[in-house]
Amino acid sequence: MSQLRSHRSKVRIGNWLEDQQLEEDAVKEYLEKKEKGELASQKVDFLTENILRPVNLSVSNDGLLHFGDVVMLVNMGGENRECSAVGINADINSVTKTPSPGIRVPCGVSAGRGIQACTRTAFIITSVDGSPEGATLLYEQSFALKTTSGFARGLYLTSDIKSFQKCAKKSRLQEVNLDDSCSFLSWWRTVHFDPQERLEHEGQPVHANKKVLITHCKTNQALAVLGDQVIWSMYGKEYEVTAHTFLDSHKAEQENNHWVLCTSDPAGDGLVLFNRPL
């Protein structure tokens, strides 16, 4: 015998009042977050809109690098990695809106395959020894690499001696990140990539869009990209960036340590790097 219903279909049973209140609270919370721009989708849109905003790189009319130039740090790739550029590795938790919208510090960096000049990938060659803006950068001369102002907050590419608690997350090598203080930890210098020509180039002007080593002044470790250490982020597949000198059997630095400080083509047609191959 079928069970008879003892109440009408419109009768509410169980904890219906609590369930209704929870639903109303959830809708109210959603609308409040939406109004404040705190929904996850809104945070992602806000971050990508600001961090991927195009930036005009400097144009080098004399083919040299100068203090104040806005450049990209590009590694041309190797056996197990593609061409990539150093960029701010920020997610929605790395963004703050007070006192103004920007990146929280410290913030990580990674090497992405998107070779586009934007807030994320643009760095300013900054003097640390009193050299005036516009002066030519020389081999072995100390300098800092700073992100653009505004959303990127003018943060400095920084590194320090690795320790058990402070090291790169995947490789456990010397960590590289962005900080807001310009100290000795944020000092770098360019070195000629060919050891046999290094001595004769010391003190000479550094050419833009040519391979160089970028060495950390305090630890003497070279900036490197690791093709075997993949980072999956909101920007896609990227590589870990660290400070570590990789040497081959001839005691020469490997391609992991070779960087090109890219500028814009004077003709206004993209990057010199791709219009005039190395």
Side-chain angles (χ1 to χ4, degrees):
M1 183 175 178
S2 61
Q3 188 175 2
L4 296 175
R5 179 182 294 173
S6 60
H7 56 271
R8 295 181 182 180
S9 59
K10 294 184 179 180
V11 173
R12 296 177 177 179
I13 61 174
N15 297 327
W16 65 269
L17 184 59
E18 294 179 12
D19 293 340
Q20 181 179 351
Q21 188 62 48
L22 288 174
E23 289 180 7
E24 291 176 355
D25 290 345
V27 172
K28 183 179 179 181
E29 183 182 5
Y30 171 83
L31 294 175
E32 288 178 351
K33 284 188 174 181
K34 183 177 181 181
E35 185 179 352
K36 295 178 181 178
E38 294 179 352
L39 296 178
S41 59
Q42 290 176 311
K43 290 180 179 180
V44 170
D45 291 342
F46 178 78
L47 175 59
T48 53
E49 178 186 351
N50 285 276
I51 206 166
L52 299 181
R53 183 170 294 158
V55 169
N56 293 322
L57 300 182
S58 297
V59 173
S60 179
N61 293 315
D62 57 3
L64 305 176
L65 292 172
H66 310 83
F67 289 104
D69 282 354
V70 182
V71 298
M72 284 176 57
L73 277 59
V74 176
N75 181 281
M76 296 305 294
E79 277 187 27
N80 60 345
R81 68 189 186 285
E82 300 175 47
C83 181
S84 58
V86 175
I88 304 170
N89 188 17
D91 57 21
I92 59 175
N93 298 316
S94 306
V95 177
T96 178
K97 292 188 176 181
T98 55
S100 60
I103 302 297
R104 294 181 189 271
V105 293
C107 183
V109 295
S110 57
R113 297 175 297 166
I115 314 298
Q116 297 179 344
C118 59
T119 300
R120 183 175 184 237
T121 58
F123 289 87
I124 302 171
I125 300 175
T126 306
S127 171
V128 297
D129 59 3
S131 297
E133 188 168 319
T136 303
L137 177 66
L138 307 177
Y139 280 108
E140 302 288 349
Q141 184 179 13
S142 299
F143 66 98
L145 289 165
K146 183 174 69 172
T147 61
T148 56
S149 58
F151 186 78
R153 292 286 176 90
L155 305 180
Y156 294 89
L157 194 68
T158 303
S159 189
D160 199 0
I161 299 171
K162 70 174 182 177
S163 65
F164 181 76
Q165 295 179 328
K166 187 176 178 62
C167 57
K169 292 180 180 179
K170 286 186 167 289
S171 64
R172 312 300 293 177
L173 297 174
Q174 186 173 311
E175 184 182 31
V176 176
N177 58 18
L178 295 168
D179 201 6
D180 56 359
S181 61
C182 182
S183 65
F184 188 51
L185 300 180
S186 59
W187 289 24
W188 304 82
R189 65 178 184 270
T190 54
V191 179
H192 197 278
F193 79 97
D194 188 345
Q196 296 183 348
E197 298 185 27
R198 197 161 292 167
L199 186 60
E200 64 183 81
H201 278 84
E202 186 173 341
Q204 296 299 311
V206 181
H207 285 80
N209 308 296
K210 300 293 183 182
K211 287 183 182 179
V212 296
L213 305 180
I214 302 176
T215 305
H216 191 239
C217 291
K218 177 180 178 180
T219 63
N220 203 36
Q221 295 293 328
L223 190 68
V225 57
L226 308 183
D228 58 345
Q229 302 295 341
V230 175
I231 298 173
W232 289 98
S233 69
M234 59 177 290
Y235 311 101
K237 178 183 177 181
E238 304 202 323
Y239 308 118
E240 187 173 60
V241 173
T242 183
H244 184 81
T245 304
F246 292 89
L247 300 176
D248 60 19
S249 58
H250 301 288
K251 302 297 182 181
E253 290 79 8
Q254 298 181 21
E255 291 180 345
N256 304 65
N257 297 126
H258 294 175
W259 296 93
V260 179
L261 279 72
C262 295
T263 60
S264 288
D265 194 325
D269 187 21
L271 300 174
V272 173
L273 175 64
F274 299 112
N275 295 335
R276 307 172 193 176
L278 299 173

